Amino acid sequence: MDFGFSLSPSSAIDLDKVDLSLYRRLEQTAPDIRNCIACGSCSATCMAASYSGMSVRKLILNLQRGADVEKMLSCCMLCGKCTMVCPRGINTRKLILDVCRYYSKKV
Amino acid sequence: MRERIPSGFDPFVLPFLIGMGFVLLYCLLAALRVLWQCPREDRRRFFISLITPTTALKNIWDIFANCLIHVKLWRRNRMLGFMHSSIAFGWFMIILLGHLEVLFFVPHRLNLFYYPIFFNYFVAETDTTLRGSFLFFLMDFFLLMILIGIVLAVIKRVRSRLFGMRRTTRLSFLDTVGLYSLWLIFPLRLLAESFTASISGGSFLVKPLNWLLEAVLGTQFLLNPANNLPTWWAYSIVLGVFMVVLPFTRYMHIPTEMMLIPMRNAGLRIRHARRGYALLEIYSCPGCGVCIDACPMSVKKANIKDCTVYLNRQLRRGNEKRIEEISDKCLLCGKCTEVCQVGVEGPALRIFQRARRQYAINPDYGTVQVSAPASGAKLLYFGGCMTALTPSIGRSMESVLGKLGIDYTWMDRDGGICCGRPMLQAGRFAQAADMVRRNTELIKASGADTLLLSCPICYKMFRDHYKLPGIRVVHHTQYFEELRRSGVLKLSKSDLCYAYHDPCELGRGCGEYEAPRGLVGAAAFIVEAEKNRGESICCGGSLGSLSLSFQQREAMTRKALDNLTVGGPDAIATACPLCLATFSRYSSIPVRDIAEVVDLSL
Amino acid sequence: MKESVIIIGGGVAGLEAASQLLALGLSPVIIERSDHLGGHVAEWYRLFPDLSPAQDLIARLVDSASGARIYLETEISRINALKDGYSATLNNGDVLFCKAVLVCTGFHLFEAAKKEEYGYGIYDRVITNRDLEHWFGGAEDERITDNPKAIGFVHCVGSRDVKAGNTQCSKVCCMTAIKQAIELKEKFPESEIYCFYMDLRLFGKKYEDFYISAQKDYGIHFIRGRVSEVSEDIEGRLLVKAEDTLSGKPLKVRLDLLVLMAGMVCHPQTARIASMVRAEVDDDGFLRSRDNIYSIVESGRKGIFFAGACTGTKTVPETVAEARAAALSAYRYIKGNA
């Protein structure tokens, strides 16, 4: 019997179904994306964070969950502070540039 | 003098003619192509400069000094300079003198292209004149000069350290063909001339060799065309081979530099990654490899293949993968440009390569709402992004300006927009322009007349890429130095010994070497680094590199520290927050910004 | 003639090892480079999770090691291997002979000034965990004002941070932060206390209860987000910026006191000590044990033993346990070779 639940899709993340194609691409070009411990230093120090919610931590998380990243990147000024503070030594600027480059809009 | 060969022709000149024809045609077409690729504005400027007397004379002088004498190489290392002068200038002279010989003795043959080169085959000496023996003397003198240069070149291939070069370029296959044929040209010329010297005459070099050959092989042997013609064939073939491969080897720099210099003197600059002026720079690279030792990345052998000389090579080959790797890795410190004998601008070329990239996401800063700074003081201090991570600088600036009683507004104390230089260096020009626009609005709205920067990256950006009419852009070292000179800022000298590090962006980038030294010298003592000023070594922390990892930079920072601490200083003084953060990580002695040095001694 | 064992370092590890060796009938000699015994713990106030006084522990250790020969303000210049033991030359000229050497050189506290963005030494209200312990113990510190309304703790300063040169976790700072937060709350009950953490590492016996108590009984606020920069506002209060990762928003707060939890890093003399006893330095900077599970107290070289933080971060109970294990291993080694 159909209870109508399929009309409103669940907002739960189904890890079996997420689209990780962009994340996989970045694992090749910027392999230190795997090192992120989501500490939030990057977001805290970001010059654009208060204007746009830009956060490298969220960027990596969204990539890993197959969620959208375009809006968040609209304000990155490439100033490099996130790279300076990352305790895992991730080259966050390269990551951002690669995402900007390899991103393809989902239909 | 009389002509020995009535027709004035022999088939052996053909290889030379073919080679020469090919290379001249190639150079002509290439020159036209470069001109066509330049924007019309640049083309106009170039042509006007050619007829402007001052620039025209400067061009001639520069070509003479750089292409023939290689003055810059002499300054680098005397052996290198002599080696290149002797070959280049010597070769120029024997060509010139060859033409003079034809002019004086067989002027009706001037229309024959190859005649001056093979003069000693076609012309026999019937009587000895003062003019003749003088010219022969000069020819032999310059031939000897070239041969000494060739010997040095051979030695340099084996032992480059004798020439002050720790590392030199690995040659490609065609480069090697060009190299060996170049090396063979003059010994073969010597051989050929010696074979026919008894008919054609010669001077102190050729004649004794001729006697030696006669003694060993016999006069008749030498005079037999079946024996002496092959030597002339050999000479011609080697010349032909060299000419034919020249456009595909590093030796293309010979004609290209002669076009680069006038264009540069006309004020043309790189506008496009692969066309026009950039193409001239790419092909002017002589592949000498001086940039390899200079590059701060070369401390690790793995990075040598990413120096500018190899970038130029990959650009010529169109190897996109390597071009991207090399362009993204570079620290953009500018040291290669500083030492380059031809002035190839490594950082600029790389930024333009980066700018070719297509991006799917293009930020715009429309949502960034930054309010204009409040107070309305005439001095506007822009701390920059890095100052939040190096609070000692901001603190010291506040303290110094406070002690001097200067009224100022700290524009980006609670956050702001980046100056845009890291974005520019990443090749994203449109985004950088947007940031520039936003910041310009804010600065103009503040009503200030002076913009004070404590970060040289910001300073270079504001100075070169912002249009702020009526607003003076000044770095804190310059600002404080002026105040010191005018007596407003009084520093008490401590007995500490500082080594001052010239930041890439302030030193090579803006040409400011003296103001910081004035300040540190007044506040304490300075002991200079082994390589300083224009040759200072990049700290390794530059945001110019897109792909270098944190671990890869450590070796570069340590090398820069070793260079700085050669004189045993108590502390290091620097004028850039990025250098400060980078050095502090590995330095065992304190690292202080100039602002802090000044504050401590006020 | 009792066989002698040289113990390098007179901290918790060295003292406990000495007392065990005495009980086993050997003759330990302690070489300590500072002017007091007890190492770092001697500077502390109370130990987690029992909040027992550190001075009591130190007094007890010093007392039970009192039968050992003790050199203070002395360093070892050289150690030579002999046929059946070692000879150590001290910097005062004495030469000692022993059958075994116990390395108890401990750790070094990360220099918080190296993380310049936190402003230690630049701003007036930023202190470290060690400064705070001193203050609890009665020392004066003008950086701690009379009535701080808001206090912050920054975890992982100099730990888990490749930029600080130490990628390892310092193990004890999370518990120390909670302990100090509780102690500060007891001193200033009206203040709000915030702990900024990346992860909370509370792995030992009763540690989780301690944490629950901090939340429930003392109202300490825990914010998951690493502090990226600290600045000062016009009144001299500290403005701390972090990301509240759990809500995904940048967060800032004004504080009257900021305590940096400086981590445990290897001793700067480690390389020298390692070369003296011909031990290896591991890639985390500490000394390398024979293995990391069964033989932590053994170095792999005969007659050289390790105990305590010289091989890696340790808590006090772990240090005491290792000291006893090292003493027993040394004893068995000496008796086995006799």
Side-chain angles (χ1 to χ4, degrees):
Chain A
M1 189 174 165
D2 182 4
F3 290 103
F5 287 126
S6 58
L7 290 171
S8 47
S10 165
S11 64
I13 300 168
D14 187 347
L15 272 184
D16 295 318
K17 297 211 176 103
V18 293
D19 176 12
L20 291 179
S21 48
L22 186 55
Y23 179 66
R24 295 261 175 261
R25 184 100 191 251
L26 286 171
E27 279 183 313
Q28 299 300 312
T29 62
D32 52 10
I33 192 177
R34 289 180 170 182
N35 295 3
C36 178
I37 49 173
C39 70
S41 317
C42 47
S43 328
T45 203
C46 177
M47 295 295 273
S50 42
Y51 308 121
S52 68
M54 169 66 189
S55 157
V56 181
R57 180 189 65 81
K58 281 194 245 176
L59 173 69
I60 295 176
L61 181 68
N62 282 5
L63 287 169
Q64 288 171 332
R65 302 286 179 267
D68 186 62
V69 296
E70 188 179 2
K71 182 160 171 298
M72 203 190 308
L73 285 172
S74 67
C75 263
C76 172
M77 304 192 226
L78 228 56
C79 68
K81 284 175 80 185
C82 50
T83 315
M84 287 284 287
V85 297
C86 176
R88 280 286 173 100
I90 300 174
N91 188 345
T92 50
R93 285 173 91 230
K94 176 166 198 335
L95 188 60
I96 291 166
L97 281 171
D98 282 354
V99 173
C100 284
R101 196 168 165 196
Y102 298 125
Y103 177 80
S104 59
K105 251 188 162 54
K106 291 186 200 358
V107 177
Chain B
M1 302 274 182
R2 64 162 179 86
E3 285 186 67
R4 202 158 63 89
I5 315 290
S7 64
F9 175 82
D10 188 288
F12 81 77
V13 308
L14 283 173
F16 166 75
L17 271 180
I18 294 170
M20 200 66 197
F22 174 73
V23 78
L24 281 177
L25 186 65
Y26 190 98
C27 288
L28 180 67
L29 290 175
L32 288 175
R33 177 171 172 234
V34 165
L35 274 173
W36 180 68
Q37 285 175 345
C38 287
R40 187 191 299 171
E41 209 7 79
D42 281 356
R43 251 203 311 273
R44 214 175 60 92
R45 195 156 11 132
F46 175 58
F47 290 138
I48 291 177
S49 80
L50 287 179
I51 51 178
T52 315
T54 37
T55 349
L57 281 173
K58 187 169 192 300
N59 290 342
I60 296 173
W61 172 251
D62 281 344
I63 291 178
F64 183 76
N66 288 320
C67 302
L68 291 180
I69 310 289
H70 293 86
V71 168
K72 280 177 97 171
L73 262 180
W74 276 92
R75 281 200 216 119
R76 183 120 207 109
N77 179 287
R78 276 197 273 257
M79 290 276 269
L80 267 182
F82 175 68
M83 179 187 120
H84 287 81
S85 289
S86 56
I87 299 177
F89 184 62
W91 199 358
F92 172 73
M93 284 310 289
I94 61 172
I95 294 174
L96 180 68
L97 289 167
H99 282 79
L100 283 178
E101 282 181 328
V102 172
L103 179 69
F104 289 151
F105 301 120
V106 279
H108 56 283
R109 291 295 189 196
L110 261 181
N111 58 338
L112 288 176
F113 205 50
Y114 53 86
Y115 219 80
I117 313 296
F118 303 111
F119 185 81
N120 277 32
Y121 180 80
F122 289 107
V123 176
E125 190 197 25
T126 45
D127 54 315
T128 328
T129 64
L130 191 60
R131 194 168 52 171
S133 51
F134 182 59
L135 276 173
F136 281 168
F137 171 77
L138 283 179
M139 289 295 271
D140 274 19
F141 174 76
F142 286 111
L143 185 59
L144 179 64
M145 187 198 248
I146 300 173
L147 285 169
I148 295 175
I150 301 286
V151 167
L152 287 176
V154 175
I155 297 175
K156 177 172 167 290
R157 267 291 124 192
V158 181
R159 275 232 169 287
S160 63
R161 270 190 198 261
L162 288 174
F163 294 77
M165 287 182 69
R166 197 163 151 248
R167 290 197 177 99
T168 185
T169 331
R170 291 260 297 271
L171 295 177
S172 68
F173 170 68
L174 278 178
D175 279 342
T176 320
V177 171
L179 180 76
Y180 288 154
S181 55
L182 178 65
W183 281 356
L184 282 173
I185 291 175
F186 302 99
L188 282 178
R189 180 190 170 112
L190 180 65
L191 188 70
E193 288 192 346
S194 319
F195 260 63
T196 48
S198 47
I199 352 168
S200 313
S203 187
F204 66 91
L205 187 64
V206 171
K207 272 276 187 221
L209 200 55
N210 178 256
W211 294 331
L212 182 65
L213 287 170
E214 279 186 341
V216 171
L217 299 167
T219 322
Q220 286 314 310
F221 183 86
L222 291 182
L223 290 175
N224 184 352
N227 295 325
N228 61 38
L229 254 184
T231 60
W232 286 95
W233 269 98
Y235 176 42
S236 177
I237 287 172
V238 143
L239 266 174
V241 166
F242 180 69
M243 302 286 183
V244 162
V245 296
L246 184 140
F248 312 106
T249 64
R250 66 211 275 233
Y251 300 103
M252 189 59 185
H253 78 271
I254 301 173
T256 317
E257 204 187 345
M258 291 199 271
M259 190 172 175
L260 176 71
I261 290 177
M263 278 208 162
R264 183 189 299 139
N265 287 347
L268 271 61
R269 289 288 171 266
I270 300 178
R271 297 241 187 270
H272 185 281
R274 311 272 173 97
R275 295 152 68 86
Y277 187 76
L279 205 60
L280 281 182
E281 282 201 0
I282 294 166
Y283 280 94
S284 290
C285 169
C288 66
V290 169
C291 54
I292 300 178
D293 281 338
C295 181
M297 298 198 299
S298 68
V299 66
K300 285 254 174 236
K301 260 182 99 169
N303 296 333
I304 293 177
K305 281 294 188 182
D306 298 308
C307 295
T308 308
V309 62
Y310 294 111
L311 173 69
N312 292 327
R313 182 182 288 178
Q314 300 301 348
L315 280 168
R316 293 187 214 189
R317 290 181 188 170
N319 183 342
E320 293 300 335
K321 179 167 170 285
R322 281 294 292 142
I323 294 173
E324 180 173 323
E325 279 171 12
I326 299 176
S327 303
D328 280 359
K329 200 175 192 182
C330 178
L331 291 162
L332 302 182
C333 76
K335 185 119 181 244
C336 53
T337 313
E338 183 78 16
V339 301
C340 180
Q341 303 306 309
V342 248
V344 174
E345 295 166 287
L349 275 175
R350 286 180 175 85
I351 292 176
F352 274 90
Q353 304 312 316
R354 295 175 184 183
R356 287 176 90 229
R357 217 156 290 163
Q358 301 294 335
Y359 290 97
I361 300 183
N362 296 300
D364 83 86
Y365 305 102
T367 55
V368 178
Q369 301 298 330
V370 179
S371 50
S375 86
K378 282 295 171 192
L379 180 66
L380 192 62
Y381 170 51
F382 184 84
C385 301
M386 283 298 151
T387 305
L389 297 176
T390 49
S392 62
I393 299 181
R395 239 341 186 70
S396 306
M397 289 297 285
E398 280 190 307
S399 174
V400 172
L401 290 171
K403 285 180 191 168
L404 292 174
I406 297 178
D407 194 25
Y408 70 99
T409 314
W410 188 341
M411 179 176 160
D412 55 346
R413 198 201 183 112
D414 294 322
I417 303 175
C418 177
C419 66
R421 190 158 177 79
M423 185 66 86
L424 184 77
Q425 287 182 326
R428 305 206 74 180
F429 296 157
Q431 281 69 35
D434 201 16
M435 284 194 260
V436 167
R437 199 178 45 81
R438 300 297 306 279
N439 268 332
T440 309
E441 282 168 15
L442 291 169
I443 294 172
K444 284 188 177 162
S446 74
D449 62 17
T450 310
L451 181 64
L452 178 64
L453 287 329
S454 58
C455 169
I457 303 171
C458 298
Y459 172 60
K460 185 161 170 71
M461 188 66 181
F462 280 107
R463 192 186 76 147
D464 292 351
H465 292 94
Y466 279 71
K467 290 195 178 23
L468 298 165
I471 299 177
R472 186 180 164 222
V473 176
V474 69
H475 188 250
H476 71 319
T477 51
Q478 298 165 325
Y479 187 72
F480 289 149
E481 175 64 358
E482 274 172 17
L483 290 177
R484 186 190 72 89
R485 291 249 182 111
S486 65
V488 173
L489 181 71
K490 294 188 197 358
L491 298 175
S492 56
K493 198 165 175 122
S494 78
D495 56 3
L496 277 178
C497 207
Y498 281 94
Y500 172 66
H501 166 75
D502 292 282
C504 299
E505 297 278 334
L506 188 64
R508 283 186 286 271
C510 297
E512 182 59 72
Y513 299 111
E514 297 310 325
R517 286 180 163 81
L519 288 168
V520 180
F525 292 92
I526 300 185
V527 57
E528 292 283 356
E530 192 179 332
K531 287 197 187 294
N532 64 355
R533 291 198 165 82
E535 296 239 352
S536 87
I537 301 181
C538 180
C539 70
S542 168
L543 288 172
S545 170
L546 299 177
S547 63
L548 275 177
S549 75
F550 176 71
Q551 285 80 359
Q552 283 171 307
R553 293 173 189 250
E554 182 182 341
M556 301 175 212
T557 312
R558 290 199 188 276
K559 179 181 174 189
L561 277 172
D562 287 342
N563 170 53
L564 275 174
T565 51
V566 138
D570 301 311
I572 295 173
T574 183
C576 169
L578 204 45
C579 294
L580 178 66
T582 311
F583 281 141
S584 304
R585 215 170 272 146
Y586 301 111
S587 169
S588 48
I589 55 177
V591 184
R592 298 190 181 117
D593 186 83
I594 298 261
E596 201 181 341
V597 174
V598 167
D599 190 38
L600 285 173
S601 93
L602 253 186
Chain C
M1 177 65 187
K2 287 189 201 168
E3 291 102 337
S4 168
V5 177
I6 287 183
I7 300 177
I8 311 179
V12 168
L15 290 170
E16 178 61 20
S19 97
Q20 295 299 322
L21 287 168
L22 283 168
L24 288 166
L26 296 179
S27 173
V29 182
I30 297 181
I31 320 283
E32 166 58 44
R33 64 201 288 265
S34 77
D35 62 357
H36 62 275
L37 292 171
H40 285 92
V41 180
E43 300 175 41
W44 295 344
Y45 183 54
R46 289 194 284 188
L47 304 173
F48 58 79
D50 307 335
L51 291 180
S52 50
Q55 303 309 319
D56 288 357
L57 175 69
I58 298 296
R60 183 173 167 184
L61 286 168
V62 170
D63 185 52
S64 55
S66 55
R69 208 154 115 220
I70 298 178
Y71 287 84
L72 290 177
E73 289 182 289
T74 309
E75 287 186 43
I76 301 187
S77 312
R78 208 168 51 252
I79 295 183
N80 293 323
L82 306 172
K83 203 177 79 145
D84 59 348
Y86 291 92
S87 80
T89 314
L90 307 179
N91 66 348
N92 64 0
D94 286 7
V95 180
L96 304 171
F97 296 94
C98 65
K99 294 279 186 215
V101 177
L102 214 58
V103 182
C104 301
T105 49
F107 69 93
H108 180 70
L109 202 66
F110 176 76
E111 273 150 59
K114 279 186 145 194
K115 290 295 286 179
E116 196 185 328
E117 55 262 44
Y118 295 151
Y120 185 68
I122 299 173
Y123 301 128
D124 297 331
R125 309 274 185 88
V126 180
I127 63 175
T128 63
N129 44 358
R130 176 207 257 146
D131 296 336
L132 190 55
E133 282 292 315
H134 286 178
W135 185 75
F136 285 140
E140 296 274 318
D141 197 324
E142 56 186 17
R143 294 173 290 192
I144 303 173
T145 54
D146 290 332
N147 196 9
K149 288 197 276 300
I151 301 171
F153 282 83
V154 181
H155 292 222
C156 301
V157 175
S159 314
R160 303 181 68 198
D161 185 351
V162 73
K163 305 280 164 52
N166 175 24
T167 51
Q168 303 306 309
C169 169
S170 294
K171 193 184 259 183
V172 297
C173 343
C174 279
M175 271 305 280
T176 311
I178 296 178
K179 174 191 78 91
Q180 291 183 331
I182 291 175
E183 289 174 305
L184 273 180
K185 190 76 176 186
E186 284 172 342
K187 284 251 195 270
F188 307 115
E190 302 303 314
S191 63
E192 297 296 339
I193 303 191
Y194 305 94
C195 284
F196 295 91
Y197 68 96
M198 294 202 276
D199 295 291
L200 282 175
R201 304 213 156 162
L202 309 170
F203 51 90
K205 179 169 172 130
K206 307 275 193 152
Y207 289 7
E208 194 68 20
D209 297 340
F210 205 65
Y211 175 36
I212 292 171
S213 165
Q215 291 180 292
K216 196 161 77 102
D217 302 326
Y218 294 92
I220 315 279
H221 306 278
F222 288 90
I223 299 176
R224 192 192 175 272
R226 187 166 174 263
V227 172
S228 68
E229 55 200 61
V230 177
S231 53
E232 252 182 2
D233 71 7
I234 304 174
E235 298 143 32
R237 299 187 86 199
L238 297 169
L239 180 63
V240 163
K241 291 200 177 121
E243 190 203 12
D244 182 18
T245 60
L246 294 173
S247 68
K249 296 197 164 78
L251 176 148
K252 58 182 184 198
V253 62
R254 290 192 157 69
L255 301 172
D256 299 298
L257 180 66
L258 188 65
V259 185
L260 305 177
M261 303 310 293
M264 230 188 247
V265 297
C266 65
H267 203 280
Q269 294 277 312
T270 305
R272 189 177 81 88
I273 294 155
S275 67
M276 266 205 292
V277 297
R278 274 164 291 275
E280 283 171 35
V281 177
D282 217 336
D283 52 24
D284 61 356
F286 291 93
L287 295 173
R288 180 181 292 179
S289 306
R290 184 135 149 244
D291 70 50
N292 291 323
I293 295 175
Y294 186 75
S295 325
I296 296 183
V297 297
E298 289 168 43
S299 71
R301 296 218 157 264
K302 60 185 189 84
I304 309 283
F305 300 92
F306 299 136
C310 61
T311 50
T313 58
K314 299 276 152 58
T315 59
V316 171
E318 284 170 356
T319 306
V320 169
E322 275 189 15
R324 292 181 187 148
L328 187 58
S329 299
Y331 173 79
R332 290 177 63 178
Y333 165 76
I334 290 171
K335 293 303 173 192
N337 277 5

